[in-house]
Amino acid sequence: MRAFSTLFIAAALALSANAASVSKRSIRPEVQLCIDSITSAGAQLEVVNTAVLAFTSSAGLIGANQIHSLEQVLETRLKKAGTDCCVPIGTITLPEADAVLATVKILVPKVTGALSAITSKKSQFDAIFLATTIVKTDIKALDAQTKTLDACLIAKTPTDPASYLITANGYVTEINNAFSATRTAYGI
């Protein structure tokens, strides 16, 4: 009985490893590059969010500029994701759409959380000369880069079955609503 259990576990592991390699092969390199770029932007977003959450007005303009520098890296990564995801490869396949949407699903709460943090720290930024101006510029730039990326992803999302496009539009709407609330809080 023990030998059977061991054999069953080994077979299950081999099948899951094989399934993972088949799944990986079904994603074209261009789509994987898009996924990797989105993931990279998400990692930098976490760095920015951590800095924003720790920020207080006592950090002064130097602290605000440090966050701005981190935002510039995020903006660069978002531009790269926009470039990588907007290559003319046509509509992506269903397995590719699954992979992209899974990546975006992880990113959405990070985006909304970061924007909420920026909104909650407005009074801290307002207490520093020019800091709010810097934050407003960053919000506008990130919003523009995000909209570019969103448009590309929506354009490439399969429409059959309709659930893919519904899911993608839901993610975009959630991000747009978060940006809208942040823009409103900062009077943009």
Side-chain angles (χ1 to χ4, degrees):
M1 184 66 143
R2 177 172 272 179
F4 178 73
S5 296
T6 304
L7 182 62
F8 180 74
I9 291 170
L13 289 173
L15 287 173
S16 66
N18 191 30
S21 66
V22 168
S23 175
K24 192 78 164 167
R25 283 186 293 206
S26 64
I27 298 175
R28 291 175 282 175
E30 300 88 352
V31 177
Q32 187 60 52
L33 181 60
C34 171
I35 291 168
D36 293 346
S37 292
I38 292 170
T39 301
S40 174
Q44 184 62 23
L45 177 62
E46 288 182 27
V47 171
V48 172
N49 191 36
T50 299
V52 168
L53 288 170
F55 180 79
T56 62
S57 59
S58 64
L61 191 57
I62 291 171
N65 277 327
Q66 288 171 340
I67 292 172
H68 174 67
S69 294
L70 296 172
E71 180 279 335
Q72 293 292 289
V73 174
L74 174 57
E75 190 176 334
T76 299
R77 290 185 185 186
L78 278 172
K79 283 180 186 177
K80 181 176 181 341
T83 299
D84 293 345
C85 294
C86 293
V87 295
I89 60 168
T91 302
I92 59 177
T93 66
L94 296 183
E96 291 170 339
D98 288 334
V100 171
L101 289 175
T103 303
V104 173
K105 179 180 182 178
I106 293 168
L107 191 61
V108 170
K110 292 178 184 181
V111 172
T112 59
L115 290 168
S116 178
I118 290 168
T119 300
S120 73
K121 293 291 184 164
K122 184 178 184 306
S123 63
Q124 297 293 317
F125 289 117
D126 284 346
I128 303 166
F129 180 69
L130 295 177
T132 302
T133 303
I134 294 168
V135 173
K136 285 181 177 183
T137 301
D138 291 346
I139 292 167
K140 290 176 192 174
L142 292 173
D143 190 21
Q145 291 303 320
T146 301
K147 282 185 181 358
T148 298
L149 180 57
D150 289 346
C152 291
L153 292 175
I154 293 297
K156 293 180 184 298
T157 298
T159 57
D160 186 24
S163 60
Y164 283 92
L165 196 52
I166 290 168
T167 299
N169 278 317
Y171 293 152
V172 168
T173 298
E174 194 171 342
I175 290 171
N176 285 341
N177 288 343
F179 267 110
S180 179
T182 304
R183 284 191 319 269
T184 297
Y186 278 86
I188 300 172

